Amino acid sequence: MDKKELLKQSSSIYWASGIVSICGIIFEVLFGALGSYILGDGVKQYTLTISLFLTGMGIGAFISEKITKQLVLSFIWIEYGIGLIGGFSALLLFGVTAYLPDGTDALFLYAVTLIVGALTGVELPVLIRKANDIGVALHKSTAKVLFSDYAGGLIGGLLFLFLLRPYFGLVKTAFIVAMINVAVALWVAVKFRKELKRFSLHAGAGGLLLLLIIIGILMGEEAAFHFEQKLYKDPIVYSEQTSYQQIVLTREEGDTRLYLDGQLQFSSADEHRYHETLVHPAMSAAGGHQRILILGGGDGLAVREVLKYKDTRSITLVDLDPKMVELANTHHLLTELNKRSLTNKKVEAVHQDAFRFLEESDGFYDVILVDLPDPNNESLNKLYTMEFYSLLRNHLTPGGAIMVQATSPVFAPQVYWTIDRTIQAAGLSTNNLHVDVPSFGGWGFVLASRHPISLKDLQIKAETRYLTTELLPALARFGKDEDAKIEDESGHPVELRPNTLIRPNLIEVYEKSWKYY
């Protein structure tokens, strides 16, 4: 073989290395995203999937020592395997979650992650050996193949983050990446066809697999939607994977429900109980209502309640996901509930992390309403820390009031009272309230201010469906199994330590509290 042909083949090896490394990193983060959505606790799932994937790569690298012959053919069938298993991974995970017993979905995901990781781990050593066999010096071949591999990893991560996940979703992304793996295998087969015995057989197998994957791209989401429907009680009427979360709306017999990453946010049947308790005690306790800050609440329901106060001049809504706010402004099921509150000229929507917004903002607010998701991962935990509540305090007018949704004192009493203790550690006085919301149980709130507030002095003057002035003191009464006296399994008192950025103890407490629910 002449030198020109050898250079073409070596170039093919480098390009193949870069492309399959892009696919590998995309599968790695894809499995983390699937685990986060299906199993919850994003940090935990990303940690497990990345660890398993890297372990699989180590196993694959070890196995690759036994592959010394037919390197091109081995690479081709490795790519076929990655394409088949990785491509159908997301679709099958939804099916496993929908139809098989609890826990099976986790085992399935972790097994797939390990297997695809192992196959990915075989790729690089095989390519390096092939590059060396072509006749290029080993150290040069290794350096170039490694460069292609590592550079491809960066590109893959960026593609998943900014293109594939937001525009194609998890199921279609898996098939698209699998198609690339198989296409690379076919391209390598053509480039090295002179070395392959029974070339037509190997190429034909790849062609059939490619056709199957293309069918998956065209029809996989419809099948996944059918499986996903099984995860929810009511029929899904809207589903979208945004850059930040999975948004799902369901509707059944007049009841509209919103889910974010599989977690129920509200039911139209009883959301008024939650949002009236979130908004009106703080509005009543505050010395004024001119400037209101709402952190979270992209559905517009808290804004709807605030707009009942005619003396409110401005409402700043900080919600990270612009797609959620857009949906709340356009979908008729949400606009019927929120009364098109987010289109009111008093409302300004800011799409930014709440912590960063408070760090960068220099404004002061009469009322601050914190309607953020529960602290079930690291990124959300920082919004339940002493540092975060200190920022809230620093943006509060002297006579202002803060209301924080603080998860359930029934299901997670230690979480609720830890949040209360953390708010106090930030230098704020607190009152504790809880309300029964039938769709997801008893729920807790913490009313905070610079000075003590007497609930007996508060008056609910806005029009409400549930909350009354007379009811307020009753919301501050807690049963013996949900009050601040937390005991461990042995009956010993549990010390409630403030949650901080340096010591994020709330995540572990949250996981233990909700594991049975």
Side-chain angles (χ1 to χ4, degrees):
M1 187 178 298
D2 60 27
K3 185 176 180 180
K4 186 177 180 180
E5 185 65 24
L6 287 174
L7 288 173
K8 286 182 179 180
Q9 288 190 350
S10 64
S11 178
S12 300
I13 293 296
Y14 303 143
W15 277 105
S17 173
I19 294 171
V20 298
S21 71
I22 291 174
C23 297
I25 195 66
I26 292 175
F27 274 129
E28 187 175 354
V29 294
L30 170 68
F31 296 150
L34 284 168
S36 179
Y37 175 49
I38 298 293
L39 306 174
D41 189 354
V43 173
K44 176 182 177 181
Q45 299 309 324
Y46 274 102
T47 300
L48 285 173
T49 52
I50 290 174
S51 299
L52 285 168
F53 198 91
L54 291 175
T55 300
M57 289 183 68
I59 295 171
F62 177 78
I63 294 172
S64 72
E65 290 186 348
K66 302 181 182 300
I67 303 176
T68 57
K69 298 179 180 179
Q70 296 185 314
L71 296 172
V72 171
L73 184 60
S74 299
F75 174 78
I76 290 170
W77 280 94
I78 288 167
E79 297 310 303
Y80 289 171
I82 293 175
L84 180 62
I85 299 171
F88 285 88
S89 59
L91 175 62
L92 292 178
L93 179 60
F94 279 100
V96 168
T97 304
Y99 291 103
L100 296 184
D102 291 344
T104 311
D105 47 5
L107 292 175
F108 175 83
L109 176 62
Y110 299 152
V112 167
T113 302
L114 191 65
I115 293 169
V116 174
L119 291 172
T120 303
V122 179
E123 290 173 337
L124 189 58
V126 168
L127 289 174
I128 290 174
R129 290 194 188 101
K130 184 58 186 176
N132 187 49
D133 287 350
I134 290 174
V136 182
L138 178 60
H139 67 279
K140 291 184 179 180
S141 300
T142 302
K144 290 183 178 180
V145 173
L146 286 173
F147 173 78
S148 299
D149 185 77
Y150 295 152
L154 172 62
I155 295 170
L158 295 176
L159 283 174
F160 179 80
L161 183 62
F162 296 109
L163 176 65
L164 293 171
R165 178 177 175 176
Y167 290 101
F168 296 102
L170 300 178
V171 173
K172 189 169 288 187
T173 290
F175 281 118
I176 290 173
V177 178
M179 179 180 67
I180 296 172
N181 277 103
V182 176
V184 168
L186 288 171
W187 175 56
V188 170
V190 171
K191 288 292 183 180
F192 291 87
R193 58 186 176 275
K194 294 179 180 179
E195 299 183 21
L196 297 177
K197 297 179 180 179
R198 306 171 73 182
F199 166 78
S200 299
L201 175 63
H202 302 306
L208 289 174
L209 179 55
L210 193 62
L211 177 62
L212 185 63
I213 290 172
I214 291 173
I215 293 173
I217 293 175
L218 297 176
M219 304 180 62
E221 280 195 337
E222 183 177 347
F225 182 83
H226 173 75
F227 294 147
E228 187 179 37
Q229 180 65 75
K230 296 291 184 179
L231 304 178
Y232 298 93
K233 177 182 176 182
D234 302 325
I236 295 174
V237 295
Y238 180 88
S239 179
E240 179 181 7
Q241 175 66 57
T242 75
S243 299
Y244 302 99
Q245 59 197 346
Q246 177 80 15
I247 303 174
V248 172
L249 275 177
T250 66
R251 177 79 167 177
E252 177 69 15
E253 296 182 354
D255 181 22
T256 300
R257 298 192 173 206
L258 172 68
Y259 296 84
L260 299 180
D261 285 338
Q263 301 298 312
L264 177 65
Q265 303 302 302
F266 71 76
S267 163
S268 61
D270 53 32
E271 57 81 14
H272 62 281
R273 285 177 164 240
Y274 175 96
H275 290 100
E276 288 177 6
T277 307
L278 173 71
V279 173
H280 298 303
M283 297 293 282
S284 177
H289 307 138
Q290 283 72 36
R291 300 190 68 196
I292 311 299
L293 174 64
I294 302 176
L295 303 177
D299 51 38
L301 299 178
V303 176
R304 177 198 66 197
E305 296 300 314
V306 172
L307 287 172
K308 293 178 180 179
Y309 296 83
K310 303 306 179 183
D311 58 338
T312 296
R313 294 180 181 176
S314 68
I315 303 170
T316 302
L317 175 76
V318 180
D319 193 287
L320 185 62
D321 193 348
K323 292 292 186 180
M324 183 65 249
V325 174
E326 179 184 343
L327 185 67
N329 277 329
T330 56
H331 200 288
H332 70 95
L333 292 178
L334 292 181
T335 56
E336 288 173 6
L337 286 174
N338 63 32
K339 310 298 182 185
R340 298 189 179 276
S341 61
L342 297 181
T343 62
N344 191 286
K345 62 182 181 180
K346 296 180 180 181
V347 179
E348 178 189 8
V350 178
H351 303 299
Q352 190 177 11
D353 173 76
F355 200 106
R356 177 168 293 183
F357 173 84
L358 292 173
E359 285 183 316
E360 297 178 355
S361 172
D362 56 3
F364 289 88
Y365 302 91
D366 299 306
V367 176
I368 301 176
L369 306 173
V370 184
D371 189 20
L372 297 166
D374 282 1
N376 57 14
N377 60 52
E378 293 285 352
S379 60
L380 290 171
N381 174 77
K382 71 178 182 180
L383 305 178
Y384 288 82
T385 59
M386 185 175 67
E387 292 84 352
F388 179 75
Y389 296 132
S390 295
L391 288 172
L392 292 182
R393 180 201 63 214
N394 294 342
H395 285 276
L396 190 67
T397 58
I402 300 169
M403 183 67 93
V404 178
Q405 89 78 14
T407 195
S408 173
V410 178
F411 303 124
Q414 188 174 346
V415 176
Y416 175 83
W417 292 105
T418 297
I419 294 172
D420 176 68
R421 178 72 183 86
T422 304
I423 296 174
Q424 292 178 12
L428 293 165
S429 176
T430 63
N431 289 82
N432 304 103
L433 303 172
H434 67 135
V435 60
D436 181 43
V437 184
S439 59
F440 50 83
W443 214 255
F445 300 85
V446 178
L447 177 63
S449 62
R450 295 178 182 272
H451 308 289
I453 295 173
S454 173
L455 294 179
K456 295 180 180 180
D457 297 334
L458 302 186
Q459 291 187 350
I460 306 301
K461 296 181 179 180
E463 181 181 350
T464 59
R465 294 173 58 190
Y466 166 74
L467 192 61
T468 65
T469 299
E470 294 74 23
L471 183 61
L472 263 180
L475 299 185
R477 291 183 170 273
F478 289 77
K480 295 175 69 174
D481 62 349
E482 56 184 356
D483 62 18
K485 297 179 180 178
I486 307 299
E487 297 179 346
D488 60 21
E489 296 178 353
S490 302
H492 298 107
V494 173
E495 179 185 2
L496 298 176
R497 295 180 290 110
N499 186 45
T500 67
L501 289 174
I502 298 175
R503 295 189 175 182
N505 61 79
L506 194 60
I507 298 177
E508 182 180 357
V509 174
Y510 187 90
E511 290 179 353
K512 290 181 179 179
S513 298
W514 284 96
K515 66 181 179 180
Y516 297 117
Y517 301 102

